[in-house]
Amino acid sequence: MSDEKWTVTFIVFRKKDEQPVRYDTFTLEVSPNEYVLDAVERIWAFHDRSLVFAHACHHSTCGACGMRVNGVERLTCITPIREVTRNGGTVRVEPLRNFPVVSDLAVDMSRLYQAMDVVHAQAVHPLDAAPLEGDGIRPPRQVPQPEEEGEFLRLADCIECGLCVSACPVAGTDPAYLGPAALAGAQLQSIARNPDLLSVVDCAEGVWRCHSAYECTAVCPSNVQPGWRIMDLRRQVVAQRIKALLGQR
Amino acid sequence: MTKPHAIVIGAGFTGVAIAYDLAQRGFRVSVVERGPIANGTSGRTHGLLHSGARYAVNDQESAIECIQENIILRRIVPDAIEPNGGLFVAVQEEDLAYRDKFIEGCAACGIPIRELTPQEALRLEPNLNPRLLTAFTVPDATFDPLRLALAFAASAKAGGAQFYLYTDVVDLLRDGRGNVCGVKAWNRAADRRFDLLAEVVVNATGAWVGQITAMAGIQVPIAPTPGVMVAYDRRLTQRAINLLNEPGDGDIVLPQRRMMVVGTTSFTIEDPDYVPVYEDHVALMMERGSALIPALRQTRERGAYMATRPLIGGTAPGRSISRTFKAYDHAETDGIDGLVTITGGKATTLRLMAEKTVDVICRKFGMDVPCRTAETPLLSYRKFYL
Ligand SMILES: Cc1cc2nc3c(=O)[nH]c(=O)nc-3n(C[C@H](O)[C@H](O)[C@H](O)COP(=O)(O)OP(=O)(O)OC[C@H]3O[C@@H](n4cnc5c(N)ncnc54)[C@H](O)[C@@H]3O)c2cc1C
Ligand code: SF4
Ligand code: FES
């Protein structure tokens, strides 16, 4: 902890309605330990009240604050300024790609929510569906549950932030592609347990559309690792097809 | 009969819950919010769905509301809630002095608790401070702030409510007699200004309510009182962990997804628009949090943030319709009709605050429509976007 202060210039993407895109620059005194979202909010509070940006929780649980920071998809509320620039340096802030821009830094993520809805991705699920690693600390999932409380539930890892959709080269060319987050949401439920999912993901806009670029896994801030989950989902689909063939004989 | 038009300013917990209830009871509703959903305090809440146990000694009316609403919200918004319960834990001798009052208070408020031996508590939550002296189970839960708000907003939208996001209310419209009859708005996304007329304007702007009432010449003295919270990068418990003592700083540690979140502090400021996160508060969260969960010291900070309580100062403008939150019909307190202000309260009691406020609004319009929000499950939060 320190009182270290940096001077940083933020280059911010601006877009209002039909007006052409422009970039505005704002030079701020910041603490390098502050998060990029803090700086964006300060630009709104003290420099330009017309700035539009999305956010809510400021601690990586809601998924609202995704932006491109120096060209890379980041959850801005947990991206320390120290990680993306230096004293006297610049930070370029732009909206996510592959979604329509509402204005400035805010995008319309309906496409992602629609896909999550189609695969019935669970928002809250039993602990076992995505166990937590222990790392030397005793994992709470081994804890016996008192009978009267039933099973432990927890909020899903995927916070529906859209970073993976923004980074995905396929999502950029094919607007109907379900996308990494939704396919990961399907994989987590398992097709064996949820056979209705087969027709949703085993199609041109589903699991076979992925080019294995793994950009999704690289940018995902929330441990979802959509890349390998899509590969695993393919295996599930093939296994299900074989089962169907054998069953029919 | 055409539906009366209500404008709700603010899409925090209070605004979305009121919008939903108004839409259900037959109003045409417009919500005007200068940011996205949950732009203000609501988005940055700690996330404890209170069982009421925290208030069972000092504020039993709030405690009773919490336990009742806790049970309702688990049922109507299951996709925003981790319903895993909570513990109140004593770690020092002085905490034990609170034990008897706590048991009595919870009994008086109908909050089911059960005392555990330290061994039992450690078996339930192995990362608790092994030197704990006693523990109680309580029916706490945790919630995702944005998704809680979105579920109400989605259900309001399905009932016909229209949302104007990224749209600031810049002034109130007044009729010839000085009563409020709508708002002047500035849509920042399109950079367009427009007027919206309504039969009633509901000011649900949290720590900013004073700025809106000032537009009608009404003073509501707000003392914005922020608190800091810190998220750490590893989940160490399944339940919400509270210190068994009078409510204080950094005495609640919550699990959320793969994180733990410790909160909070309390200090007053002038302007709620931007509040810095002070590093000494961040350090205090680690110090207090690790007294309950020592393994926090082996985690890394993932995020630090603050949210602002809208405490109303001593010179409150007359009588509030409720003691547990503040709501004023300005026709009664200031002789200006068409404006209702509501602020304070808790995330946990958002539905009830809306019910009580909409009861008052319905009476103003001579409408006798019962509230149904407690029985009806909300739509999935995703439906807000679909
Ligand atoms: C630190 C802290 C921790 C908390 N933790 C918990 C908890 O764990 N559990 C719990 O139950 N409760 C908790 N609370 C309480 C709870 O968060 C609040 O009661 C609740 O969020 C208040 O919601 P609100 O809608 O009244 O205000 P806000 O969420 O602040 O909503 C007001 C809205 O009005 C908008 N607005 C302001 N001015 C204008 C304008 N001119 N035009 C248009 N829109 C405008 C703002 O953008 C904002 O979105 C906590 C509070 C704090 C401060
Ligand atoms: S998979 Fe990861 S990157 Fe994609 S929406 Fe979910 S949390 Fe965000
Ligand atoms: S603001 Fe919620 S994830 Fe960043």
Side-chain angles (χ1 to χ4, degrees):
Chain A
M1 298 285 151
S2 68
D3 295 332
E4 194 180 353
K5 287 286 173 212
W6 284 7
T7 304
V8 174
T9 300
F10 291 83
I11 306 170
V12 181
F13 177 101
R14 305 302 302 273
K15 170 89 181 131
K16 299 287 176 206
D17 219 18
E18 301 301 309
Q19 296 167 26
V21 171
R22 62 166 207 271
Y23 285 84
D24 286 349
T25 58
F26 303 92
T27 300
L28 268 60
E29 190 171 273
V30 298
S31 151
N33 298 328
E34 281 183 284
Y35 299 95
V36 172
L37 182 59
D38 296 330
V40 170
E41 189 170 39
R42 273 229 295 287
I43 292 172
W44 165 79
F46 301 120
H47 298 266
D48 186 348
R49 286 289 171 131
S50 72
L51 183 67
V52 167
F53 64 101
H55 66 138
C57 72
H58 287 236
H59 69 287
S60 79
T61 205
C62 81
C65 70
M67 298 172 204
R68 277 183 302 143
V69 179
N70 295 335
V72 181
E73 283 74 10
R74 305 292 294 249
L75 213 50
T76 51
C77 67
I78 55 165
T79 301
I81 291 172
R82 182 189 292 290
E83 271 179 24
V84 291
T85 190
R86 53 181 169 76
N87 192 5
T90 60
V91 179
R92 194 179 179 88
V93 192
E94 296 166 294
L96 295 181
R97 284 179 298 200
N98 305 337
F99 297 106
V101 173
V102 172
S103 170
D104 301 339
L105 301 170
V107 296
D108 173 0
M109 291 211 286
S110 308
R111 163 188 189 168
L112 169 68
Y113 280 93
Q114 178 89 49
M116 297 303 272
D117 196 55
V118 166
V119 302
H120 305 294
Q122 289 168 292
V124 177
H125 57 58
L127 205 50
D128 319 342
L132 302 153
E133 72 280 67
D135 277 8
I137 293 174
R138 284 225 265 158
R141 73 189 151 105
Q142 291 171 355
V143 173
Q145 178 82 4
E147 314 75 60
E148 73 265 27
E149 286 177 47
E151 200 171 12
F152 281 131
L153 298 178
R154 75 175 184 90
L155 289 159
D157 282 332
C158 179
I159 56 174
E160 298 163 318
C161 64
L163 300 198
C164 55
V165 175
S166 175
C168 173
V170 176
T173 55
D174 180 358
Y177 176 44
L178 275 177
L183 291 172
Q187 185 270 351
L188 265 167
Q189 298 171 72
S190 135
I191 297 192
R193 268 184 285 144
N194 233 325
D196 291 352
L197 279 178
L198 186 62
S199 60
V200 180
V201 301
D202 185 12
C203 62
E205 308 302 350
V207 76
W208 306 109
R209 200 78 183 75
C210 168
H211 288 174
S212 317
Y214 283 91
E215 298 290 346
C216 50
T217 295
V219 298
C220 177
S222 203
N223 302 292
V224 179
Q225 306 190 353
W228 79 257
R229 289 193 192 278
I230 296 173
M231 296 308 121
D232 181 70
L233 188 61
R234 283 185 178 169
R235 282 189 285 276
Q236 292 186 21
V237 167
V238 172
Q240 207 58 26
R241 281 187 186 168
I242 293 171
K243 232 167 84 186
L245 274 177
L246 294 178
Q248 271 158 20
R249 252 196 308 169
Chain B
M1 201 187 92
T2 57
K3 293 178 167 187
H5 183 207
I7 294 173
V8 179
I9 314 176
F13 291 137
T14 309
V16 293
I18 288 183
Y20 168 53
D21 200 332
L22 282 169
Q24 273 228 333
R25 292 205 236 181
F27 283 79
R28 184 163 74 82
V29 180
S30 302
V31 180
V32 185
E33 162 59 58
R34 68 178 177 180
I37 301 286
N39 180 54
T41 301
S42 301
R44 287 171 243 194
T45 327
H46 197 173
L48 178 62
L49 188 70
H50 285 284
S51 60
R54 182 175 177 82
Y55 307 107
V57 174
N58 293 333
D59 182 359
Q60 298 200 335
E61 200 176 342
S62 289
I64 292 167
E65 289 186 359
C66 282
I67 183 65
Q68 289 171 351
E69 292 300 309
N70 174 307
I71 292 165
I72 292 170
L73 290 182
R74 284 166 187 253
R75 200 169 55 230
I76 67 172
V77 248
D79 61 359
I81 292 174
E82 296 190 357
N84 298 337
L87 293 176
F88 273 72
V89 179
V91 289
Q92 289 180 343
E93 285 300 327
E94 65 197 56
D95 302 334
L96 284 181
Y98 192 71
R99 177 180 168 278
D100 292 352
K101 283 185 273 184
F102 180 78
I103 296 173
E104 254 168 56
C106 288
C109 300
I111 301 164
I113 60 172
R114 188 160 62 88
E115 189 160 19
L116 304 173
T117 64
Q119 294 73 25
E120 283 173 323
L122 282 164
R123 202 163 51 77
L124 293 184
E125 295 290 359
N127 291 316
L128 282 178
N129 186 338
R131 296 202 313 271
L132 76 128
L133 301 170
T134 190
F136 291 88
T137 62
V138 297
D140 281 347
T142 64
F143 62 84
D144 174 308
L146 178 58
R147 285 165 180 78
L148 179 61
L150 279 174
F152 278 89
S155 306
K157 208 172 161 186
Q162 194 169 351
F163 283 79
Y164 298 86
L165 300 181
Y166 305 112
T167 301
D168 297 33
V169 167
V170 292
D171 206 354
L172 294 173
L173 298 172
R174 318 279 292 277
D175 67 10
R177 283 160 310 181
N179 293 327
V180 173
C181 61
V183 302
K184 263 191 183 318
W186 170 36
N187 174 344
R188 280 154 44 227
D191 197 12
R192 258 199 300 270
R193 290 170 193 268
F194 60 97
D195 291 353
L196 215 51
L197 290 171
E199 274 75 44
V200 62
V201 175
V202 183
N203 172 17
T205 51
W208 295 270
V209 286
Q211 296 180 7
I212 300 292
T213 59
M215 296 171 186
I218 302 166
Q219 299 308 315
V220 175
I222 290 282
T225 311
V228 166
M229 288 144 287
V230 184
Y232 301 95
D233 70 347
R234 206 171 288 161
R235 183 174 178 126
L236 299 170
T237 68
Q238 288 312 320
R239 294 166 183 76
I241 309 300
N242 307 261
L243 180 65
L244 180 72
N245 211 323
E246 306 275 343
D249 286 350
D251 57 353
I252 307 180
V253 188
L254 300 184
Q256 207 173 66
R257 301 188 199 271
R258 287 181 193 241
M259 293 179 279
M260 296 305 283
V261 187
V262 185
T264 170
T265 57
S266 186
F267 55 104
T268 51
I269 48 154
E270 293 287 315
D271 177 10
D273 278 356
Y274 186 83
V275 186
V277 174
Y278 296 109
E279 296 202 344
D280 53 329
H281 288 235
V282 173
L284 182 70
M285 291 305 99
M286 171 55 88
E287 186 190 318
R288 296 282 166 86
S290 60
L292 289 165
I293 315 282
L296 268 183
R297 294 216 177 267
Q298 298 157 53
T299 63
R300 276 191 338 121
E301 175 181 321
R302 187 162 161 91
Y305 60 108
M306 65 79 220
T308 307
R309 298 172 196 85
L311 293 193
I312 295 213
T315 48
R319 214 169 64 84
S320 163
I321 63 168
S322 167
R323 204 193 56 78
T324 52
F325 62 96
K326 299 292 173 200
Y328 306 102
D329 177 352
H330 293 289
E332 285 178 12
T333 54
D334 307 274
I336 294 178
D337 204 3
L339 182 67
V340 173
T341 289
I342 165 169
T343 190
K346 298 175 181 57
T348 308
T349 56
L350 80 172
R351 192 210 61 82
L352 182 69
M353 290 166 64
E355 173 174 343
K356 289 186 181 176
T357 307
V358 176
D359 282 348
V360 170
I361 297 172
C362 281
R363 267 205 300 282
K364 279 173 79 75
F365 286 84
M367 293 164 70
D368 181 21
V369 193
C371 175
R372 300 227 177 282
T373 56
E375 302 100 78
T376 325
L378 297 177
L379 294 181
S380 153
Y381 64 88
R382 290 186 189 129
K383 299 288 182 199
F384 184 75
Y385 298 101
L386 307 182

